[in-house]
Amino acid sequence: MIKMALTMKDTFYISHGSPTLSIDDSLPARHFLQSWKDTVFGQTPKSILVVSGHWDTSYPAVNMVQRNDTIYDFYGFPDKMYKLKYPAPGAPELAKRVKELLMASGFKRVDEDKKRGLDHGAWVPLMLMYPEADIPVCQLSVQSRRDGTYHYNLGKALAPLKDEGVLIIGSGAATHNLRALGNLNGAVVPWASEFDTWLKDALLEGRYEDVNHFQEKAPYAKMAHPWPDHFYPLHVAMGAAGESSKAKLIHQSWELGSLSYASYQFTAAS
């Protein structure tokens, strides 16, 4: 019997790492996501809202479609990756609700994209987590020219969705400096490890304000995130859970020396 959840206590931040997560069985993060329903989150959401670092706009935007196309926004990867499909239904009602909540919270402009499907920051993890592709999915963009507090407040505005059966997922990467990637035979470069450890400690200790101001507070912040698009989905998930929520590290692995797959669960205070 499927448990359809009406209330979600949790929001999540998933580090989706490399697009090869879609095919590479050697990646521990792939197995983590495949075990999602058994080991992490057994409830079936009514719909899913994904905030992906791969959709970056000047103003918040939602995709308002009936059926999601699969966007191949990566280049030079094996051919079979461009044949993968994740035909999840769209969630136009959820898109309208997201827009309504944001505008009621003082976000003056929220755009509707009536063509866009799911980018790989959404469909790659979802394909592993919910392979049936039968749960409606809506995407919300990040605004990388804004700051962490802005995205935290974006998440705060979306908090009521949890009581409406919506699973809120931020999808990015705990560290994301593509120029620094290299095969180090499993070793992790010190700056990446230091930033990742700082983030874990700050989240688990509930220092969300420090995470909002990570550029000033974290070691090697600019090295870990030369551009913050993959980090801001974390702030949205954190904000949507609430300031007294508890964070939990639910996965940790590395790829290519500096790409962290650290993923977090935020549980709202009861």
Side-chain angles (χ1 to χ4, degrees):
M1 178 166 157
I2 294 177
K3 276 195 304 184
M4 180 67 80
L6 292 174
T7 300
M8 299 281 157
K9 299 241 347 135
D10 305 288
T11 65
F12 294 90
Y13 175 68
I14 305 291
S15 287
H16 64 249
S18 161
T20 53
L21 184 66
S22 60
I23 59 165
D24 185 352
D25 266 327
S26 74
L27 293 173
R30 181 175 164 86
H31 300 283
F32 157 67
L33 291 171
Q34 284 172 325
S35 73
W36 181 261
K37 288 192 276 191
D38 294 329
T39 62
V40 182
F41 195 70
Q43 295 176 298
T44 301
K46 195 173 102 185
S47 54
I48 300 172
L49 178 66
V50 180
V51 183
S52 162
H54 290 282
W55 191 16
D56 189 359
T57 56
S58 298
Y59 298 93
V62 284
N63 76 322
M64 204 174 271
V65 296
Q66 293 300 325
R67 172 77 47 187
N68 281 299
D69 289 332
T70 306
I71 302 172
Y72 304 102
D73 50 341
F74 44 79
Y75 310 95
F77 286 89
D79 286 348
K80 61 181 173 182
M81 286 169 58
Y82 300 92
K83 296 189 174 72
L84 297 169
K85 295 257 182 263
Y86 191 76
E93 290 305 313
L94 173 56
K96 280 186 203 145
R97 182 78 176 116
V98 168
K99 179 171 181 170
E100 181 185 287
L101 287 169
L102 292 179
M103 293 191 83
S105 292
F107 291 86
K108 293 188 172 60
R109 174 176 162 183
V110 180
D111 294 336
E112 299 170 11
D113 191 320
K114 305 236 164 123
K115 293 200 171 81
R116 187 185 172 89
L118 302 177
D119 61 56
H120 81 270
W123 69 260
V124 170
L126 288 178
M127 189 176 72
L128 302 171
M129 296 155 73
Y130 298 104
E132 301 83 7
D134 56 358
I135 300 172
V137 181
C138 171
Q139 266 198 248
L140 170 66
S141 64
V142 295
Q143 288 72 67
S144 66
R145 296 190 181 280
R146 307 301 297 257
D147 62 9
T149 300
Y150 168 94
H151 286 86
Y152 183 81
N153 289 332
L154 200 72
K156 251 166 89 168
L158 300 173
L161 294 175
K162 301 193 309 269
D163 292 331
E164 297 165 26
V166 178
L167 178 59
I168 299 170
I169 298 173
S171 178
T175 57
H176 192 253
N177 185 337
L178 300 185
R179 290 187 179 157
L181 301 180
N183 192 353
L184 305 180
N185 295 319
V188 177
V189 293
W191 62 260
S193 175
E194 276 198 49
F195 179 88
D196 201 61
T197 300
W198 175 88
L199 176 63
K200 180 183 78 177
D201 292 345
L203 289 175
L204 300 193
E205 290 163 17
R207 290 188 282 114
Y208 297 163
E209 216 30 54
D210 284 359
V211 179
N212 284 343
H213 298 281
F214 74 99
Q215 276 112 335
E216 300 90 54
K217 301 279 188 181
Y220 305 106
K222 197 68 185 163
M223 195 72 183
H225 292 280
W227 200 243
D229 50 6
H230 274 57
F231 203 46
Y232 288 156
L234 168 76
H235 295 85
V236 180
M238 199 165 74
E243 56 200 53
S244 46
S245 64
K246 285 270 177 282
K248 176 184 173 189
L249 179 69
I250 51 174
H251 177 74
Q252 172 68 78
S253 60
W254 292 89
E255 187 184 3
L256 296 171
S258 65
L259 189 60
S260 169
Y261 281 93
S263 297
Y264 292 91
Q265 176 174 12
F266 296 95
T267 303
S270 41

